Amino acid sequence: MTAPRTPKIPYGGDYNPEQWPEEVWDDDHRLFTRAGIDTLTVGVFAWSLTQPAPDTYGFTVLDRILDRAAAEGRRVCLATGTAALPPWLAERHPEVNRTDFEGRRHRYGQRHNFCPNSTVYRTAATALAGRLAERYAGHPALLAWHVNNEYGGACYCDVCAGAFRAWLRERYESLDALNDAWWTTFWSHRYTDWDQIEPPSALTEHWRGPDHTAFQGITLDHHRFTTDALLGCFLAEKDAIRAHDADTPVTTNMMGLYRPLDYHRWAPHLDFASWDSYPPPDAPPTRAALGHDLTRGLKGGAPFWLMEQTPSTTACRDVNPLRRPGELRLATWQAVVHGADATLYFQLRASRGACEKYHGAVIGHAGRDDTRVFREVAALGGELAGLGAATLGARTPARTALLFDWDSWWALEISDGPSRAVRYPDVVHAYYRAAREAGADVDVVPVTADLAPYDVVLAPVLHLLKGDLADHLTALTRRGGSVLATFLTARCDEHDRAFLADVPGPLAPLLGIRIDEWDSRPPDVVQPVDLGEVRTGARHVFEIVLPRGAEPVGTYGADFYAGTPAVTRHRLGAGEAWYVATALDQPGVDHVVRRVLARHDLVGPYAQHPAVETATRVAPDGTRLLFLLNHAPEPAHLTAHATATDLLTGARAERGEPLTLDPLGVAVLRLQ
Ligand code: GLA
Ligand code: ZN
C-alpha cells in the first residue's frame, strides 16, 4: 500500500476543534477555504473525550468534526489518539505509567507517557483504535489513519524487564549465545539464568546517563527491544484498524533523525511514511533535507507525508525564533522537492491554554485572516493547488546512496573511546551536505538496501559492519562504482564486538589500508590536512593509516603522523574505494565528495551556487521535474542548463539563457 491517492498535494494540519466552542468552527472552515486547506489531522489527543470512562465511548464530537469536514469537501487524517493517557486509566491501573531510566515509577501526567508493554495499555489502546475504525471506516472524509503520535522513549518497569528477557530468549535461544554476544566474561557478568538479566539503566549498567554503559552489547539490544516494543503497540493498533477497514492507508508520524527508534525496523509495517520536521534554529537547509531523504528512504523511495511543521514558530525550545517572510514557503517546497506528497502543519488554530499556547498556528488566538503568517499560508495553498497532481507519486532518480544505520549511531555514541565528541548525525550530515550542495540527488538508505541503482555509496562512521555489506560494497566498486568510508567505520560486528583483524575489519581489503592506532584530541585541536588543491582542518579522531594498495590523496600536517595519509583512494576493478581517516572540516568533506561525484558526472550544473538547492523528481508518466530552491536572501543569477517551463509561473527558460531566482525563490521546472 502507498500514501493515499489525492488529486493534489494534501494541505492542512493538526486540527483540534474539540478544544473550542462550536461557533468557532464556522470561522475555522471559512478561513480554511481561504487558505486552500483541504486536509485536517483530527483526534491526536482526544482519548479522554472519545472514552471518558472505562466502559463509555463518546463519538458525538468526532462525528460532528468529520461530518462537517465532509460537508466542506475536506479530508481527514484520523488519529487514534492513544499517545496521551486519560486520567481515569492511570488512576485505575497505575502500571500504565512509565518507569524512567532512574527507576522512578511516574504518576499521571504529560503525554507519550504509557508503558509500551503494559497489557492494560495495549488492550485499551487497541480497543479505542478498533472502535474508531468501526465507526469511521468508509466515512467520506476519511483519508488516512494516524496511529498514536511521535512514538518514543523507553520504560524500565518490571513488566518491560520481563518483556526484554523474553525478547532476548527469542533472539539468542541460549544463554551461551547471549554471553558470547555481550562478551560477559568481561567484568564477571556470565549469566546462568535469564532472570538475572537487568535492563540497562541508571540503576544497572549505566553511569552519567544513557550514553555511558559498561556493556555496549546490552544497551544496543535494549534499544532494539524498545524499538520493537513500541512497534508492537503500533502493529496492535494497526491490526485493530484493519479488522474494520481494509483499505485506508495507515501511518504514524515519525521524527526523522530520532535516535531512540530504529525506523528501518518499522518501515515494512507502515503503509506510507510520514514525519514531523522541526529543524534546529540556524541549521543549514540540508539538515531538514536529510530528514526528508531519510524518511523517503524508509519505503524504498516512495513519497511520504510531511505530517507536521510549524507555520511560524515552535514553543518547546528555550528560545523560539520566528520563520522569516518567505521561509515557510521555501521549507514547504523543500519537503515536496525531497518527495513529500502532502504538507501539513502543526497546527491550524492555536491552543488557548497549556504549554503550546505560544506555538505558531495558521490561525492565531484572534482568529484573523490578515496576519502575515495567514497570508503566507494562503498564498502557498494557492500555489500548491495550481500545481495539481504534477508531483504526486514522483520518484527521485538518485545515483548516490548514503548508508544510514541506527545500530551504528547507537554503538558510536555509547562507546567509551576514542572520542565522545564524534556525533553520528553531524558526520552523516557533513557528507550528505557535501553531496547535496554539489547537486547530487541522494537516497538515504539502510545498509541492507539493494545497491544496484547506485554509482556512489557514502558510508560515514558506519561503526558496525553487519551481514554481507562488505561483499556488496566490493562488488559495487569492482563494477566501476565508488565507495567512500570514514574513520570509525567497520570497527565492530552487530554486537559491538571488535573484529579480530586489522582495522577496518572486513572493509580493509576493499579500502586497501591497515590501521593500527588512532589519536583523539579535544574539539578545539585542529590538525591541518593537505588535500592537494585544498588545505583544510580536521578534528576529534586521527587514524594513522598504513596504505596496503591504496594511494594517499591527503595527508596530515602536524604531530608525529605529519605526512601520513588522512585520505586514501584504492583502485579496485573498474572502481574506487575512498577512505577519510579523520573528521575533516566541511570544506575538506566538500572537496573529497566532489572528487568522488565528478568521476561519475554527478556534480550538478548549479554546483557553483551552494545556496541553490536542486533536486529531480520523475513523475509516474515520465515527466522530469527539476526543482531549484534559492536559500539565500539575495537573488541567484544562473544560466539555464536545459530548456524548461516553470510550472509555478508558466515562464519558459531557454537553455543557455539567464535564469534568475528571487531571494528564497523556487522554480519547478518541467524539463523538455
Ligand atoms: C510534535 C507533536 C505535536 C506538537 C508539536 C509542537 O511534533 O507531535 O503534538 O506538540 O510537536 O512542536
Ligand atoms: Zn514498562
Side-chain angles (χ1 to χ4, degrees):
M1 211 179 269
T2 56
R5 284 185 209 297
T6 54
K8 61 170 277 289
I9 294 176
Y11 187 57
D14 276 47
Y15 178 51
N16 308 303
E18 68 276 13
Q19 295 175 15
W20 46 86
E22 213 165 318
E23 307 87 79
V24 181
W25 301 10
D26 293 337
D27 279 341
D28 291 340
H29 281 279
R30 181 176 57 78
L31 295 170
F32 294 161
T33 301
R34 282 207 158 184
I37 284 171
D38 51 28
T39 304
L40 313 174
T41 305
V42 168
V44 181
F45 297 108
W47 195 342
S48 65
L49 179 80
T50 47
Q51 191 182 5
D55 301 314
T56 316
Y57 290 92
F59 295 111
T60 323
V61 179
L62 268 191
D63 283 352
R64 294 177 72 82
I65 295 170
L66 269 84
D67 292 349
R68 178 72 190 261
E72 300 273 353
R74 282 179 248 284
R75 308 296 300 274
V76 167
C77 174
L78 185 56
T80 59
T82 52
L85 298 170
W88 60 260
L89 184 59
E91 181 188 33
R92 271 197 156 199
H93 305 281
E95 77 269 27
V96 298
N97 295 314
R98 280 191 190 170
T99 297
D100 68 19
F101 185 72
E102 276 78 32
R104 299 173 304 182
R105 160 78 69 194
H106 282 216
R107 299 171 69 93
Y108 182 71
Q110 302 185 44
R111 64 171 178 175
H112 303 153
N113 49 0
F114 53 90
C115 165
N117 290 295
S118 152
T119 312
V120 172
Y121 170 73
R122 283 217 191 170
T123 306
T126 51
L128 177 58
R131 292 274 187 142
L132 287 162
E134 186 178 21
R135 192 167 189 91
Y136 298 111
H139 192 286
L142 184 67
L143 182 63
W145 287 102
H146 176 302
V147 173
N148 204 278
N149 189 68
E150 295 191 337
Y151 278 107
C155 178
Y156 295 85
C157 74
D158 290 344
V159 172
C160 287
F164 182 45
R165 291 179 198 116
W167 185 94
L168 292 168
R169 272 185 171 212
E170 204 175 310
R171 180 173 165 92
Y172 291 105
E173 290 176 6
S174 78
L175 278 172
D176 281 349
L178 174 138
N179 280 311
D180 188 46
W182 289 357
W183 213 246
T184 54
T185 312
F186 176 78
W187 287 5
S188 186
H189 268 46
R190 279 201 83 81
Y191 297 101
T192 53
D193 192 318
W194 295 95
D195 286 338
Q196 295 161 353
I197 298 170
E198 297 286 353
S201 73
L203 303 180
T204 62
E205 300 299 351
H206 282 253
W207 73 97
R208 278 176 64 188
D211 285 359
H212 292 72
T213 176
F215 281 81
Q216 279 69 21
I218 302 181
T219 300
L220 271 180
D221 271 339
H222 194 259
H223 286 324
R224 294 173 180 134
F225 157 74
T226 297
T227 293
D228 289 357
L230 286 166
L231 174 59
C233 295
F234 170 81
L235 287 174
E237 288 197 36
K238 188 179 177 192
D239 285 351
I241 291 169
R242 282 284 170 257
H244 301 283
D245 179 351
D247 307 315
T248 310
V250 177
T251 192
T252 184
N253 50 338
M254 296 184 288
M255 292 175 276
L257 279 82
Y258 177 66
R259 193 176 85 162
L261 296 189
D262 179 350
Y263 290 144
H264 289 140
R265 292 169 90 94
W266 286 59
H269 307 287
L270 306 165
D271 293 334
F272 66 103
S274 68
W275 84 293
D276 302 343
S277 178
Y278 295 96
D282 300 324
T286 41
R287 199 83 197 203
L290 174 57
H292 294 313
D293 283 353
L294 176 67
T295 307
R296 190 185 74 236
L298 294 179
K299 297 298 288 179
F304 61 92
W305 276 22
L306 175 62
M307 191 65 90
E308 294 181 20
Q309 67 165 333
T310 178
S312 54
T313 168
T314 53
C316 58
R317 300 190 162 114
D318 288 353
V319 175
N320 297 277
L322 186 59
R323 285 188 144 161
R324 271 49 192 164
E327 288 183 355
L328 169 65
R329 173 176 183 251
L330 192 59
T332 305
W333 279 112
Q334 190 189 36
V336 172
V337 158
H338 286 270
D341 267 5
T343 74
L344 307 171
Y345 297 111
F346 184 88
Q347 53 194 337
L348 295 186
R349 183 182 279 270
S351 170
R352 181 166 185 200
C355 62
E356 288 180 351
K357 65 181 175 296
Y358 273 118
H359 197 289
V362 172
I363 306 167
H365 295 132
R368 306 193 67 93
D369 62 4
D370 59 356
T371 64
R372 175 185 69 87
V373 170
F374 186 88
R375 279 198 294 256
E376 288 196 26
V377 167
L380 190 50
E383 232 173 28
L384 292 169
L387 196 67
T391 59
L392 296 179
R395 316 269 298 197
T396 305
R399 288 164 57 203
T400 303
L402 185 147
L403 301 182
F404 192 97
D405 184 41
W406 263 270
D407 281 335
S408 288
W409 186 354
W410 296 331
L412 184 82
E413 296 190 358
I414 62 175
S415 178
D416 262 18
S419 169
R420 289 195 177 270
V422 178
R423 307 308 288 180
Y424 183 78
D426 292 345
V427 185
V428 166
H429 175 255
Y431 282 84
Y432 173 82
R433 177 180 186 173
R436 290 291 304 135
E437 290 186 353
D441 289 309
V442 178
D443 281 347
V444 178
V445 298
V447 293
T448 49
D450 175 14
L451 300 181
Y454 304 112
D455 295 325
V456 173
V457 174
L458 305 173
V461 278
L462 198 62
H463 196 252
L464 305 189
L465 197 85
K466 300 176 289 184
D468 48 8
L469 181 63
D471 296 339
H472 293 298
L473 294 175
T474 305
L476 178 126
T477 308
R478 286 194 180 282
R479 70 156 157 90
S482 297
V483 169
L484 182 153
T486 74
F487 63 103
L488 295 180
T489 286
R491 289 305 188 101
C492 297
D493 68 9
E494 61 172 314
H495 303 294
D496 202 52
R497 294 175 306 194
F499 292 112
L500 299 178
D502 289 333
V503 172
L507 288 188
L510 168 64
L511 295 162
I513 55 170
R514 174 181 135 198
I515 293 164
D516 296 347
E517 37 179 353
W518 43 91
D519 189 17
S520 173
R521 307 300 308 277
D524 57 340
V525 175
V526 183
Q527 258 273 19
V529 168
D530 185 350
L531 292 167
E533 300 132 62
V534 170
R535 290 177 67 82
T536 186
R539 286 158 219 264
H540 306 316
V541 172
F542 311 96
E543 295 176 341
I544 302 174
V545 178
L546 306 172
R548 291 293 179 268
E551 57 188 294
V553 172
T555 48
Y556 291 117
D559 219 309
F560 81 94
Y561 38 90
T564 70
V567 179
T568 58
R569 174 176 58 183
H570 186 214
R571 295 174 207 265
L572 186 75
E576 295 181 353
W578 290 66
Y579 191 72
V580 181
T582 180
L584 295 177
D585 288 347
Q586 191 69 46
V589 176
D590 291 346
H591 178 75
V592 172
V593 168
R594 282 186 188 220
R595 281 191 66 177
V596 172
L597 294 172
R599 197 176 153 253
H600 302 275
D601 207 15
L602 288 173
V603 177
Y606 307 109
Q608 295 320 314
H609 301 267
V612 174
E613 179 174 6
T614 67
T616 306
R617 289 184 74 184
V618 181
D621 67 1
T623 306
R624 283 182 88 82
L625 300 169
L626 175 72
F627 298 83
L628 300 176
L629 306 177
N630 178 16
H631 290 282
E634 305 86 40
H637 300 288
L638 314 174
T639 304
H641 80 293
T643 298
T645 306
D646 187 341
L647 296 182
L648 298 181
T649 61
R652 201 175 142 88
E654 298 289 337
R655 184 194 161 101
E657 298 285 310
L659 173 65
T660 299
L661 293 173
D662 290 338
L664 306 183
V666 176
V668 181
L669 301 178
R670 191 177 57 217
L671 298 176
Q672 314 274 293

